[in-house]
Amino acid sequence: MNVGIIGIGTYVPENIITNEHFESYLDTSDEWITKMTGIKTRRFADDDMDTSDMAVIATQKAIEDAGIQKEAIDLIITATSSGNHTFPSVSCIIQEKLGLNPVPAMDQLAACSGFIYSLITAEQFVKSGTCKNVLVVGSEKLSKITDLNDRNTAMLFGDGAAAVVVSEVSEGKGFIAHEWGSDGSGGQYLFDNVETGYINMNGREVFKFAVRIMGDISTKVVEKANLTADEIDMFIPHQANIRIMEASRERLGIPKEKMSVTIDQYGNTSAASIPLSIMHELKNGKIKDGSKLVLVGFGGGLTYAGMTMVWGK
Ligand code: ACO
């Protein structure tokens, strides 16, 4: 059986925060942020919009795009590190707000690798015949867990959401190969501080890990799929830092125009960054029916995951 994505929907808040905003009160500059991270703007959700509200909007669009009835969803998985609460999960809130059937609903906590982790999880349920249509959501309101007075992290993160429906697809489409894993010894470099509630990061250490693992995993999933780099139509890395993305693109041997870049607009939206990038490339025509994609991410945990897939149903 081939399993893939049959529908996608996204949401980003309207409020655009520029680098100049941080210049106005922190010892930083637009020039430094742009050069060191690739970020120009990010979106921050208003106080009355939480992670689940963004997730619900993205989910409605994804179900519509999939062309299925909401009653056909039989499992909900949300990748998030910034849920409204630890419990109820964002997935349970989506189930209630959209009036979905009383299906299993759970959040997956693998930080920025969460979306790919959730795709891989969903694939297993569809392949085994346990489920037919799994809703996979990546939604983050990182602005609420970022210390906006800490110049090490304040300018890096943004808010946004994306949802997809994972189901059986036709021959030649869907997920081909994946790699996923963790290295708990690096957990100390990226964590939410329970006392402050804010993200704490050793940027240098995370950077070193990310450059190594993003390159390793993307090459591995291409090999595992029996493909070569020139057969890949679009490389969609987790949008954490343009320099990390560039290093992995070069390692994989893919030209610049085949790498999706949305970090300039959205910053790092963690579990939402990969599907937001997919939507961006669908809109500008770079991903079409039959396009071969490499998705790859890393995040707190530390975790990592990559996947090759053919777009379309
Ligand atoms: N503005 C201006 N200057 C700054 C800033 C700032 N915001 N922050 C640091 N600097 C200066 C420092 O003072 C230092 O100056 P010096 O050389 O005169 O001493 C210089 O820049 C280098 O400082 P570092 O902290 O060593 O900067 P680094 O090169 O590591 O870059 C960055 C920082 C961009 C955060 C980088 O480490 C990085 O991107 N790391 C990975 C981040 C990441 O991907 N995180 C994952 C996100 S979380 C997740 O995915 C769940």
Side-chain angles (χ1 to χ4, degrees), residues 260-273:
S260 179
V261 178
T262 55
I263 189 171
D264 53 341
Q265 300 178 42
Y266 301 139
N268 180 349
T269 57
S270 192
S273 96

Side-chain angles (χ1 to χ4, degrees), residues 209-260:
F209 170 80
V211 166
R212 177 174 60 78
I213 208 76
M214 295 277 277
D216 282 356
I217 295 302
S218 13
T219 357
K220 268 193 193 151
V221 291
V222 171
E223 273 169 26
K224 228 174 164 176
N226 286 321
L227 293 168
T228 58
D230 354 323
E231 291 175 281
I232 302 303
D233 298 300
M234 210 64 212
F235 176 52
I236 322 263
H238 167 49
Q239 312 276 313
N241 183 309
I242 191 72
R243 294 180 293 141
I244 297 172
M245 292 157 59
E246 276 297 335
S248 39
R249 178 188 67 74
E250 280 175 16
R251 170 90 183 277
L252 191 54
I254 284 200
K256 252 187 176 8
E257 60 278 11
K258 285 190 177 176
M259 179 171 80
S260 179

Side-chain angles (χ1 to χ4, degrees), residues 91-110:
S91 295
C92 282
I93 300 174
I94 296 173
Q95 185 275 330
E96 195 268 332
K97 287 221 166 131
L98 288 180
L100 303 183
N101 283 340
V103 299
M106 58 189 175
D107 288 0
Q108 190 152 47
L109 221 172

